Amino acid sequence: MLAQAGTPPRVVRVGIYTNAPKIYFDGQGQANGILVDVLRAIAAAEGWELRFVGCEWARCLAAASAGDIDLLPDVAWSEERSRILDFHQVPALFSWSQIYRRTDVPLNAMTDTTGKRIAVLSGSIQQNFFTEMAKNFGMKPQLVPVASVEDGFDLVERGGADAVVASKYAGTLYAPSRGIVETPIMFQPVRLFYASGKGRNAALLAAIDRRLDAWQRDPDSDYFGILEHWQTRSMLAQVPAYIWWGALLVIAMLAMAVATAAWLRKQVAHKTGALRESEQRLATILDSVDGLIYIKDTSYRYAYANRALEALVEGRIGDIIGKQDTDLFAPPVAAALHRNDVRAIAKRERVVAEETVPDRHGRQMTVLSTKIPLHRDDGSVYGLCGISIDISERRAAEESTRVAASVFRSAEGMFIAGPDRRIQRVNEAFCAMTGHEATDLAGAFVPWFALGSDGADARDIMWDAAENHGKWQGEIWTHRKNGDAYPARLTVTAVRDENASISHFVGTQGDITEQKLAQDEIAKLAYFDSLTGLPNRRLLLERLGHCVSLRERSGQMPALLFFDLDNFKDFNDLHGHQLGDQLLRQVGERIRTCTRAGDTVARLGGDEFVVLLDNVGRTEQEAGAHASAIGWKIIAAVAEPFIIGSTTHRTTCSLGAALQSDSGIDSDEMMKRADMAMYSAKKDGRNTMRFFDPGMASDVSHRLALEEEIRTSLGTSGFSMHYQPQVDVQGRITGAEALLRWNSPKRGAIGPSVFIPIAEASGLIVPLGRWALHTACAQLACWKSQPGLRDLTVSVNVSIRQFRERSFVQDVVDTVSDTGVSPSKLKLELTETVLIDDVDDTIEKMRQLKELGVNFSLDDFGTGYSSLSYLKRLPINQLKIDRSFVRDILTNPNDASIARSIVALSQALGLGIIAEGVETEEQRNFLAEIGCSFYQGYLFGRPMEAASFERSVRAQDD
């Protein structure tokens, strides 16, 4: 619109930098160039007054953004620039970039660029585009940034660079006069605009759009006159280099190119050669585009295909032209492509659709295809033109966004914070966890947290790590809105934009209260005794190892007190495990009252306890006195009565102590020494305390040596069976007790009181018991065929460990079967301990053997805690009065009373009775008077070998 008379003209400040021939200052200091002339024509039509402001490219760009100039010509659109500048809609000029070289530099393709020094306008889109293109080709040129395009041509002329990147317009202007020639390498078709600061000059840009739109529709307009004035640039300005700007523009500009070419053929016939050159350059540009550009005829055969499509199908252009999709792709792919082609050609529709084609590696590639019908002048359709842009990465990004949104709705608490560390968004899980509403948290800082339950605010530590290292994670303690503290696991990750600046922080927070409780419970199970709550062996050994390792540094020695309850098993068997557990808990509580806060009271298992005394003294005398005081204090405390259920119970303990008298003693050695000292205390009468001394170690060594000798002697002639006669009231031998004897090859004869406990403790009693049973049964089988011996019975002792073996019943059955002995002649002697522990299992095993015919005798009766209810249930045949009652039966009224009671009990239950340890006629006579009719003891014969026993039996018939 022309300015009205009397109205001051609009002053428009225009930035001018050097980029001839599009814009520049000429030798007279006047603004000149294609885009300056176009803008002057628009200003004349609109009534503007132009004021030109000289500046370098970067300063011009900054001035336009800041509003210091109103218009900046010759600006290529980019997404980044669109954030700070406004652009009009109709392009002012079309151009492309090209490489120009010195004549002595071989540079004809992108593959020749590696190592070449190539000048390029600093900070320009050309620089970014060429860098990325070289990277895609795998080339490594050496870029030389310059302040202006003219500087780049000057640098090439002087030999400071091998080539320069410039627009076609600049190349035509600067190259010939410097002896520089163009190369076939063309790229980056661009649309050039006038740009203005964001939101500043919308009216100016709208006026420019009106004028350009009208002029570009009119071949006789001032616009084309200006282009014609710049001669060789006139045709280039109309070349539609739109490919990078979207599928629709590509198709529209292709159509424009065809129309323009037709017009040029009519209007400028003498420039046919130039038009052919322009078409060739257009093909070069189309071949440099990554998108698939193609034309198909009405038979759906390819009439044109660019290099990108050629690369996709891995064929030459000649191999593609004339073929259909069915010749290039699998049937399902070809069918899908054909459906959209039919819409464009047969239905004359403009089609925009996503399609899927395989890439050269066979992977599925998603493309956004735009297909439009091509019309003749009469309106008929002669084909379609299409462009397909790979959007696989965009689809993947959308999928990632969808997944991220799904994750944001997960059960984990999540928040997003800005670079200012203030929360922008939170999910429902975070609100549920913290008790805060989303509206309360928006704009607020992340809630306070510490790295420990009573630590200081640790948020700065977290932010610093996330900013400097990209990520921070750890366990924290924080509070809910109601003030409740809870532990959580927090991970914060920094998200950076394309400029490597932090745009967001993403935080993930999970409540780990349950996990912590579970960890505490696991730690408790791993390090503490479940019955007493005291540290267990594992924790004790860890603490002991720590104390031992500090011995040299601190100068203080630790002490170890090792003890167990005296006769606890008897109490447990009599009263049951439940009351036994109550006693152990009370013992643990008493021990803790006797120790210091830093000491460790541990339960190893059963009735074994250990006290670790840390730092008890620098000298052995001082440490020993301290340990002794605490040890006797524990013994006294344990001796006090315990209230267990409704009963009062008294017990004692035996305690062993060991000191780390020198640094060479490790944890294992201290445990061994304290254990040995405890057994010494038991051996010395119990309810006492003993310190370790080296003599104890020799006792243990002796015991271990015996154990090994027992193991070696098994299955050899080292062990033998002796038989002690059992007689009736007339003194006739009715049977014998088989007694095990050992003649060690190294030590000679060793009594049962020595080797039987060792065999019991080591487990060797099981194979030894099997051998004894088999030997006794074999002897019975031998007597079965001899007159005078066939009616004899043999009693065999069975240990508790042997009886508890799962295979015990089968072992007895197999032994009876293998030897052929009569089961009724075999009597198994069991102790009260065997009977009381797991009564149901005991009864079942005895019942099975009883059905076989085997008899049972209850040995050492009266010394334990046998219950009458048990006796009534057990399938026993005989009670055996223990030698401890027989020994003083004539002088001790209590022993006599007990013997009478046992005899009376046996008679009441219908059981046989036998007394062992009978050594005098007076003892036998007393036992006979009270009703005991079978005896065993030295009065009737010592244990003897089988041959001697046989002679004794036969002698009574002589």
Side-chain angles (χ1 to χ4, degrees), residues 368-692:
L368 179 62
S369 297
T370 302
K371 301 178 180 181
I372 63 170
L374 297 177
H375 298 88
R376 298 186 180 89
D377 291 341
D378 61 1
S380 62
V381 175
Y382 63 87
L384 68 82
C385 180
I387 179 169
S388 299
I389 305 298
D390 183 2
I391 59 170
S392 300
E393 290 187 5
R394 191 182 82 188
R395 276 285 171 262
E398 291 173 353
E399 177 65 13
S400 297
T401 302
R402 186 188 67 77
V403 172
S406 175
V407 170
F408 201 72
R409 295 190 295 271
S410 69
E412 286 287 310
M414 298 186 70
F415 66 83
I416 297 175
D420 60 355
R421 302 180 178 180
R422 293 182 180 272
I423 293 176
Q424 296 178 351
R425 285 187 62 194
V426 295
N427 67 352
E428 293 181 2
F430 190 85
C431 293
M433 183 190 312
T434 62
H436 292 282
E437 297 292 335
T439 53
D440 298 336
L441 294 169
F445 292 109
V446 172
W448 181 97
F449 68 79
L451 300 182
S453 57
D454 55 355
D457 189 352
R459 286 178 292 181
D460 286 342
I461 297 175
M462 176 268 290
W463 289 123
D464 291 344
E467 289 178 352
N468 295 326
H469 305 292
K471 184 178 182 180
W472 181 90
Q473 64 180 2
E475 292 186 2
I476 64 171
W477 278 88
T478 185
H479 293 83
R480 307 188 203 280
K481 186 177 181 180
N482 62 7
D484 291 344
Y486 68 98
R489 173 166 287 279
L490 175 62
T491 300
V492 176
T493 304
V495 180
R496 299 184 181 272
D497 59 20
E498 63 273 11
N499 298 318
S501 299
I502 293 177
S503 60
H504 297 89
F505 293 98
V506 177
T508 302
Q509 182 170 310
D511 187 340
I512 58 173
T513 301
E514 294 297 326
Q515 179 183 336
K516 281 290 186 183
L517 292 175
Q519 288 176 350
D520 292 343
E521 183 62 25
I522 291 171
K524 185 176 180 181
L525 292 174
Y527 289 101
F528 292 89
D529 175 48
S530 59
L531 176 64
T532 63
L534 297 174
N536 61 11
R537 177 186 292 272
R538 182 177 181 181
L539 182 54
L540 169 70
L541 292 177
E542 285 188 10
R543 292 182 179 176
L544 177 58
H546 179 69
C547 290
V548 168
S549 65
L550 294 178
R551 167 75 168 84
E552 286 191 22
R553 189 162 52 192
S554 67
Q556 292 276 349
M557 64 179 67
L560 208 59
L561 306 181
F562 201 116
F563 66 93
D564 69 6
L565 301 180
D566 298 329
N567 302 315
F568 172 74
K569 190 174 187 315
D570 294 337
F571 175 87
N572 212 31
D573 291 341
L574 179 63
H575 298 288
H577 294 292
Q578 185 174 1
L579 294 183
D581 290 346
Q582 290 184 31
L583 176 60
L584 292 174
R585 281 192 288 267
Q586 291 188 31
V587 169
E589 292 171 2
R590 285 196 188 177
I591 298 170
R592 278 189 288 199
T593 64
C594 301
T595 58
R596 304 167 301 175
D599 297 332
T600 299
V601 179
R603 176 176 176 245
L604 299 188
D607 61 330
E608 289 185 332
F609 294 85
V610 177
V611 177
L612 171 60
L613 304 175
D614 190 14
N615 298 334
V616 291
R618 292 183 177 276
T619 66
E620 189 170 349
Q621 182 178 3
E622 180 185 358
H626 195 157
S628 180
I630 294 178
W632 284 108
K633 185 178 180 181
I634 291 172
I635 291 174
V638 171
E640 292 294 323
F642 290 91
I643 305 300
I644 308 296
S646 59
T647 65
T648 299
H649 177 71
R650 291 181 180 273
T651 188
T652 59
C653 66
S654 300
L655 190 149
L659 304 175
Q660 191 195 13
S661 54
D662 63 72
S663 57
I665 301 174
D666 60 14
S667 302
D668 290 341
E669 182 63 24
M670 284 194 70
M671 290 287 287
K672 292 176 184 176
R673 291 186 174 191
D675 191 23
M676 285 188 281
M678 181 195 72
Y679 278 104
S680 178
K682 284 187 174 296
K683 191 168 64 174
D684 290 346
R686 305 175 187 261
N687 194 29
T688 189
M689 176 179 179
R690 291 289 181 268
F691 276 86
F692 171 81

Side-chain angles (χ1 to χ4, degrees), residues 1-3 39-48 50:
M1 181 183 292
L2 296 174
L39 186 59
R40 282 195 175 109
I42 294 173
E46 294 292 330
W48 299 339
L50 301 180

Side-chain angles (χ1 to χ4, degrees), residues 28 54 61 148 166 210 212 249 392 512 655 685 804 818 850:
Q28 289 74 41
L61 191 64
S148 69
R210 281 198 312 275
L212 290 176
L249 281 175
S392 300
I512 58 173
L655 190 149
R804 289 293 168 229
D818 292 344
K850 188 74 172 177

Side-chain angles (χ1 to χ4, degrees), residues 251-259 262 265 294-304 341 344-348 372-386:
I251 297 168
M253 292 307 163
L254 280 173
M256 183 181 291
V258 175
R265 282 194 295 270
Y294 46 89
I295 295 175
K296 295 181 182 179
D297 61 21
T298 53
S299 298
Y300 305 102
R301 300 181 182 277
Y302 284 93
Y304 169 80
D341 292 350
I345 293 178
K347 299 183 180 181
R348 303 188 177 191
I372 63 170
L374 297 177
H375 298 88
R376 298 186 180 89
D377 291 341
D378 61 1
S380 62
V381 175
Y382 63 87
L384 68 82
C385 180

